[in-house]
Amino acid sequence: MSSNALHVPVMLQRCLDMLAPALARPGAVVVDCTLGLGGHSEALLRTFPEARLVALDRDPAALKLSGERLAPYGDRATLVHAVYDELPEVLARLGVPRVQGILFDLGVSSMQLDEAERGFAYAQDAPLDMRMDQTTGISAAEVLNTYPPGDLVRILRTYGEEKFARKIVDAVVRERAKEPFRNSARLVELIREALPQAAKRTGGNPAKRTFQALRIEVNGELAVLERAIPAAVAALAVGGRIAVLSYHSLEDRLVKHVLAAGAETTAPPGLPVVPERYQPRLKLLTRGAELPTEEEIAENRRAAPARLRGAERIREEVAP
């Protein structure tokens, strides 16, 4: 299976344009924190021939496929098996103190969605796994079968924004007592039966929110992101740029908060002159979040929920 055939990178040209001013100079280092199948990474290497790429992914299968795809670029590309909140350790190991560009594409990779045995997709029956790195951690089935009901309700409400979390969890608890959950089809069927009729008529597959919530819990996605975005901002050189693609409101809110905080003054109110150490560290590159065009959504339906935010590092930290 060719990685190119599987993968249309989301908002690719807009990401390249956003990072371009920081990557045109020789010796620039750009980090792709979510390598996936390498679509964005390949475009970065092709578009910025002077740049060096460091790319992270927690999924060994993705690293193998994208490694083949990026092989023609030789030692300009360094691929690392790591979760993106490990960025500071990865850069320290490589002896790279600061970088000029950072890209996050927080969507589940096409490969994970399309390969049934990974258990991410609710449209086909598969083992309930959902781990992005299948060598570690607990599966979605273990979460469903072992978590206390209160924790399951919290996860569905918080990570899936699921209004009917209590109804779904009551049904899960009833069913898991008879037989543990193993496969996705049984869970999808249970959700369909648990939801009121009106809820099934809107918003696509009724299992979508529950599957999103389980995936976020299994992979610790929001906790990882909460650590990763500030670490990425800290790794940027002055003039360096960060671009982040989010796919649901929880991620987008978190990214917005970190970037907006960096773009504000931290001075106590009422100072006649704001000292250097209180000046903003970031300049926002997007007004709100940018959305994909209608043409792009027509070409790649997975782009539909994407939200792009970016910022430029304009100042070093100054010790108080």
Side-chain angles (χ1 to χ4, degrees), residues 151-180:
D151 286 355
L152 288 175
V153 170
R154 174 184 56 77
I155 288 162
L156 264 57
R157 279 192 185 141
T158 308
Y159 298 160
E161 299 175 285
E162 174 55 80
K163 291 199 291 285
F164 300 103
R166 171 67 62 191
K167 273 185 179 329
I168 292 168
V169 170
D170 286 347
V172 164
V173 170
R174 224 174 22 249
E175 283 298 310
R176 77 186 187 185
K178 299 175 195 167
E179 189 189 338

Side-chain angles (χ1 to χ4, degrees), residues 76-87:
R76 285 183 58 212
T78 304
L79 276 50
V80 185
H81 182 218
V83 186
Y84 43 72
D85 64 339
E86 298 173 273
L87 177 64

Side-chain angles (χ1 to χ4, degrees), residues 47-298:
T47 310
F48 306 108
E50 303 279 0
R52 176 184 161 203
L53 171 84
V54 176
L56 280 53
D57 208 291
R58 59 163 64 173
D59 184 342
L63 284 164
K64 182 174 181 299
L65 274 175
S66 49
E68 292 162 13
R69 181 176 189 165
L70 302 179
Y73 296 94
D75 59 8
R76 285 183 58 212
T78 304
L79 276 50
V80 185
H81 182 218
V83 186
Y84 43 72
D85 64 339
E86 298 173 273
L87 177 64
E89 292 83 356
V90 170
L91 293 178
R93 233 176 21 242
L94 295 173
V96 178
R98 287 298 172 91
V99 300
Q100 282 64 46
I102 297 180
L103 174 68
F104 285 86
D105 178 358
L106 300 170
V108 182
S109 99
S110 309
M111 180 190 67
Q112 290 164 342
L113 284 172
D114 292 341
E115 293 190 356
E117 64 273 14
R118 301 299 294 271
F120 285 92
Y122 37 80
Q124 46 196 342
D125 192 22
L128 276 167
D129 192 315
M130 298 197 200
R131 288 171 300 164
M132 289 180 184
D133 179 352
Q134 292 184 303
T135 65
T136 184
I138 68 166
S139 69
E142 288 173 82
V143 170
L144 276 179
N145 293 327
T146 65
Y147 275 32
D151 286 355
L152 288 175
V153 170
R154 174 184 56 77
I155 288 162
L156 264 57
R157 279 192 185 141
T158 308
Y159 298 160
E161 299 175 285
E162 174 55 80
K163 291 199 291 285
F164 300 103
R166 171 67 62 191
K167 273 185 179 329
I168 292 168
V169 170
D170 286 347
V172 164
V173 170
R174 224 174 22 249
E175 283 298 310
R176 77 186 187 185
K178 299 175 195 167
E179 189 189 338
F181 282 89
R182 291 187 185 86
N183 276 44
S184 56
R186 183 173 166 222
L187 178 59
V188 171
E189 187 54 36
L190 174 146
I191 292 166
R192 281 189 197 284
E193 287 171 7
L195 292 188
Q197 208 51 47
K200 289 184 249 194
R201 288 197 285 271
T202 56
N205 192 309
K208 178 178 167 184
R209 289 179 295 277
T210 296
F211 272 64
Q212 173 182 299
L214 287 170
R215 190 198 81 219
I216 290 172
E217 171 65 16
V218 164
N219 296 291
E221 286 173 45
L222 287 175
V224 167
L225 190 61
E226 243 172 302
R227 294 188 293 271
I229 300 294
V233 168
L236 283 176
V238 171
R241 290 180 163 215
I242 180 172
V244 187
L245 282 163
S246 312
Y247 293 80
H248 54 76
S249 56
L250 299 164
E251 289 174 342
D252 184 51
R253 223 174 295 151
L254 205 154
V255 173
K256 174 187 175 181
H257 175 73
V258 175
L259 298 187
E264 286 171 357
T265 171
T266 55
L271 288 187
V273 177
V274 176
E276 172 73 2
R277 70 175 180 272
Y278 296 132
Q279 299 282 2
R281 290 174 300 143
L282 297 178
K283 178 179 80 179
L284 299 181
L285 299 173
T286 45
R287 290 175 65 104
E290 289 189 11
L291 311 180
T293 61
E294 285 175 21
E295 296 77 36
E296 179 165 17
I297 294 168

Side-chain angles (χ1 to χ4, degrees), residues 5-33:
L6 280 177
H7 187 48
V8 181
V10 171
M11 294 180 81
L12 176 60
Q13 193 54 50
R14 188 64 195 97
C15 289
L16 294 173
D17 292 346
M18 189 179 279
L19 295 172
L23 298 182
R25 62 196 79 134
V29 177
V30 60
V31 182
D32 185 345
C33 286

